[in-house]
């Protein structure tokens, strides 16, 4: 005698679909941050007048130990100009922003060479600073 | 005649997912906060022509920076007087090419001091020019 199997109705739970989609969205937003230099430790200098900077594809940082980073990767000063040129490519004026995140105690010996490299590569420099209402 | 409702049903919002919702909101606002645009000071630096600039440098104002002092054409000034003195000197120079200010820094000049001085030069109407140790010159607006 054949016994008919009971067929269970199995459905993929769809209640959490919204949550899953949202989490994926957040995940890809974090990944999309191309220049992750959040591990670089630096203290910004202060200025009385600061403004929001444009979106940039190049970010140069000098940390508290005077190490130079390009988009979060440590780099030597000798390779900096070529590396900036490569990243900026043929971008038109207005889209060649180079963000400088330089520690306030960094010395001219280092940061002036970084400025010169960014200039030579045709970058539009933005010094990232902390707003300070009091002037020195 | 008014009729009274007999069946009052107790409806509670589902509270099982409250933790998930709170967590998602927390992550969302953290991501938003970390992706806020950075703020700073723009400095357009065109590619320089060192030969042309070196011939003009003798007429330009020269600002010398050390770790703690600033001097205009060799005269050390207190920081509060720097901007007014520079404004006065630049006012006497009507041509834009004469408003170039050559900034020479000693190797140990800290970045925050350099930023403070170049900001004052900008406010005084000067055009900052860097002079590096190798005599390479870079003009900034």
């Amino acid at each position: 005698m054949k016994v008919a199997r009971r067929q269970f109705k199995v459905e993929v739970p769809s209640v959490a679909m919204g949550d899953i989609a949202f989490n994926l969205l957040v995940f890809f937003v974090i990944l999309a941050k191309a220049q992750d230099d959040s591990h670089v430790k630096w203290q910004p200098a202060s200025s009385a007048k600061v403004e929001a900077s444009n979106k940039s594809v190049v970010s140069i940082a000098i940390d508290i130990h005077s190490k130079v980073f390009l988009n979060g990767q440590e780099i030597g000063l000798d390779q900096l100009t070529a590396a900036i040129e490569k990243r900026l490519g043929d971008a038109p004026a207005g889209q060649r922003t180079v963000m400088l995140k330089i520690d306030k105690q960094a010395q001219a010996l280092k940061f002036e060479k970084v400025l010169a490299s960014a200039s030579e590569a045709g970058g539009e420099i933005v010094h990232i600073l902390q707003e300070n209402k009091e002037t020195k | 005649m008014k009729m009274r409702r007999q069946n009052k049903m107790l409806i509670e919002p589902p509270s099982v997912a409250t933790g998930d919702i709170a967590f998602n909101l927390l992550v969302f606002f953290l991501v938003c906060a970390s992706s806020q645009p950075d703020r700073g000071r723009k400095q357009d630096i065109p590619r320089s022509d060192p030969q042309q600039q070196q011939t003009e440098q003798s007429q330009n104002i020269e600002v010398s920076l050390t770790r703690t002092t600033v001097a205009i054409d060799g005269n050390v000034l207190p920081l509060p007087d720097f901007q007014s003195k520079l404004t006065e000197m630049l006012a006497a120079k009507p041509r834009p090419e004469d408003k170039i200010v050559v900034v020479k820094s000693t190797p140990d000049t800290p970045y925050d001091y350099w930023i403070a001085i170049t900001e004052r030069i900008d406010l005084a109407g000067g055009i900052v020019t860097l002079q590096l140790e190798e005599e390479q010159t870079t003009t900034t607006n």
Side-chain angles (χ1 to χ4, degrees):
Chain A
M1 191 181 79
K2 278 186 179 178
V3 179
R5 272 189 189 170
R6 279 183 69 186
Q7 289 205 335
F8 292 99
K9 198 179 175 185
V10 180
E11 282 182 2
V12 179
S14 58
V15 182
M17 281 296 185
D19 279 354
I20 294 166
F22 181 78
N23 278 325
L24 281 173
L25 181 78
V26 171
F27 177 72
F28 284 111
V29 164
I30 294 169
L31 277 192
K33 289 180 77 186
Q35 329 133 4
D36 183 20
D37 53 7
S38 52
H39 61 286
V40 179
K41 288 180 182 172
W42 66 289
Q43 284 279 317
S46 54
S47 172
K49 191 185 166 191
V50 292
E51 53 194 37
S53 68
N54 294 341
K55 199 179 169 188
S56 73
V57 289
V58 180
S59 164
I60 305 171
I62 300 181
D63 75 353
I64 52 174
H65 303 297
S66 294
K67 286 180 184 166
V68 181
F69 295 84
L70 177 71
N71 289 354
Q73 301 284 320
E74 194 173 348
I75 191 169
L77 283 172
D78 298 339
Q79 305 146 13
L80 194 57
T81 307
I84 299 169
E85 275 174 350
K86 190 180 167 189
R87 278 169 176 77
L88 289 176
D90 297 326
Q95 292 173 26
R96 301 181 67 84
T97 304
V98 175
M99 283 200 301
L100 294 183
K101 298 177 177 180
I102 300 176
D103 185 75
K104 64 181 182 182
Q105 290 303 317
Q107 296 188 334
L109 182 68
K110 207 94 181 192
F111 71 76
E112 283 193 334
K113 285 177 184 164
V114 169
L115 283 171
S117 292
S119 158
E120 214 174 309
E124 295 160 357
I125 289 172
V126 176
H127 297 270
I128 302 302
L129 304 168
Q130 195 175 38
E131 189 164 18
N132 182 14
K133 297 287 178 192
E134 296 169 24
T135 51
K136 284 185 182 180
Chain B
M1 194 180 80
K2 282 185 179 176
M3 293 283 284
R4 267 190 153 183
R5 279 189 188 169
Q6 294 296 319
N7 294 331
K8 282 198 170 178
M9 292 172 74
L10 185 64
I11 300 170
E12 282 184 5
S15 58
V16 182
T18 311
D20 281 352
I21 294 166
F23 178 74
N24 276 329
L25 283 173
L26 183 76
V27 171
F28 178 73
F29 285 111
L30 272 179
V31 171
C32 283
S34 65
S35 63
Q36 276 179 350
D38 290 303
R39 293 168 66 80
R41 202 179 86 200
K42 205 171 176 179
Q43 196 173 44
D44 298 322
I45 304 184
R47 290 169 205 236
S48 59
D49 181 359
Q51 283 186 336
Q52 186 194 344
Q53 286 179 2
Q54 276 183 359
T55 55
E56 291 172 2
Q57 269 177 27
S58 56
Q59 301 152 13
N60 296 135
I61 296 169
E62 191 177 289
V63 171
S64 306
L65 284 176
T66 68
R67 194 168 176 79
T68 52
T69 64
V70 59
I72 300 178
D73 291 335
N75 301 314
V76 178
L77 288 169
L79 191 56
D81 300 342
F82 174 76
Q83 193 179 326
S84 55
K85 175 72 179 169
L86 192 63
T87 307
E88 191 183 301
M89 289 172 80
L90 288 169
K93 294 173 180 273
R95 294 192 310 162
E97 56 266 35
D98 292 338
K99 291 189 184 290
I100 290 172
V101 178
V102 180
V103 177
K104 289 171 77 174
S105 311
T106 54
D108 63 344
T109 304
Y111 180 67
D112 58 348
Y113 194 58
W114 186 91
I115 282 288
I117 296 297
T118 53
E119 185 179 32
R120 281 165 173 79
I121 295 171
D122 284 341
L123 291 172
I127 300 165
V128 176
T129 303
L130 304 183
Q131 187 166 354
L132 305 187
E133 281 193 340
E134 304 95 303
E135 296 298 316
Q136 183 187 349
T137 311
T138 308
T139 305
T140 70
N141 286 332

